[in-house]
Amino acid sequence: MLPPEMSVDDAVDRAIRLATDGQRAVLGIAGAPGAGKSTLARRIVAGVDAALGAGAAVQVPMDGFHLANTALDALGRHDRKGAIDTFDGDGYVALVRRLVAGDEAVVWAPDFDRRVDEPVAGSIAVPQRTRLVVSEGNYLLDDSGPWAALADLFTETWFCAVEDTVRVDRLVGRHMRHGRDHEAARTWAVEVDGVNAVRVAPTVIRASRTVRT
């Protein structure tokens, strides 16, 4: 059975409620590549900040835990960047534990710079006063290795639902904006991102809710 579905507006309203429940909430947004996770996360942060004040919510992407390109070259995995084994899963889980604990004056999280296609350490500040942390990524509902621990850490985990044709078109556009020609962009979207999407799709059953994006 699929989790109940929300609209984006309903998702923002629910996020505001999570942020006002008293203790810090850490929300995970999962979904396949191109499903709209980052866009939804930004909408939620903007909505929570508008309702509760600037800095009430902070976005912390799982993509900050991409392995560096030099590491992927050494592992022979650069041509499959984005697969689950091309991330530092243990590092990400450790960060989520710190964000949930909320007992540090500030936690510095990495970001991912698409312009250079590399993670950037220490880019995102999460002060102790932050009420909602929104973290998005492909594998937040995966039940293997370190990722399985996330189920007990997140306050809720939402899954972005979108038609595959829309998702692939978004990916092609993204890859073209970052330097690939149309043929190379579509090949990567279908043959690399597509494999990852197949892994992610069944994890929807472990989500708290789905959001149509």
Side-chain angles (χ1 to χ4, degrees), residues 27-30 140-141 154-159 206-209:
L27 171 64
I29 298 179
L140 306 191
L141 292 165
F154 288 124
T155 307
E156 290 188 359
T157 311
W158 301 346
F159 190 96
R206 291 190 281 278
S208 310
R209 283 169 167 73

Side-chain angles (χ1 to χ4, degrees), residues 115-154:
R115 294 169 298 179
V116 296
D117 200 34
E118 290 276 19
V120 183
S123 297
I124 301 170
V126 185
Q128 196 168 26
R129 63 183 176 83
T130 299
R131 305 317 310 147
L132 176 70
V133 180
V134 184
S135 188
E136 81 281 3
N138 295 345
Y139 304 113
L140 306 191
L141 292 165
D142 202 274
D143 61 356
S144 68
W147 307 94
L150 295 169
D152 294 327
L153 296 175
F154 288 124

Side-chain angles (χ1 to χ4, degrees), residues 19-128:
T20 55
D21 273 353
Q23 63 183 32
R24 171 182 286 176
V26 182
L27 171 64
I29 298 179
K37 302 180 294 296
S38 297
T39 300
L40 176 61
R42 288 192 293 270
R43 285 281 302 273
I44 288 170
V45 168
V48 171
D49 279 1
L52 304 179
V58 175
Q59 180 179 358
V60 177
M62 186 200 86
D63 277 359
F65 288 85
H66 268 289
L67 298 181
N69 289 329
T70 53
L72 295 176
D73 289 338
L75 294 168
R77 294 292 286 164
H78 202 155
D79 63 344
R80 286 295 179 265
K81 187 170 185 173
I84 195 167
D85 65 318
T86 66
F87 290 88
D88 175 13
D90 288 297
Y92 177 69
V93 171
L95 175 69
V96 173
R97 290 189 193 280
R98 293 173 65 197
L99 295 171
V100 170
D103 55 5
E104 300 173 57
V106 61
V107 173
W108 286 97
D111 200 355
F112 187 77
D113 189 339
R114 291 192 182 278
R115 294 169 298 179
V116 296
D117 200 34
E118 290 276 19
V120 183
S123 297
I124 301 170
V126 185
Q128 196 168 26

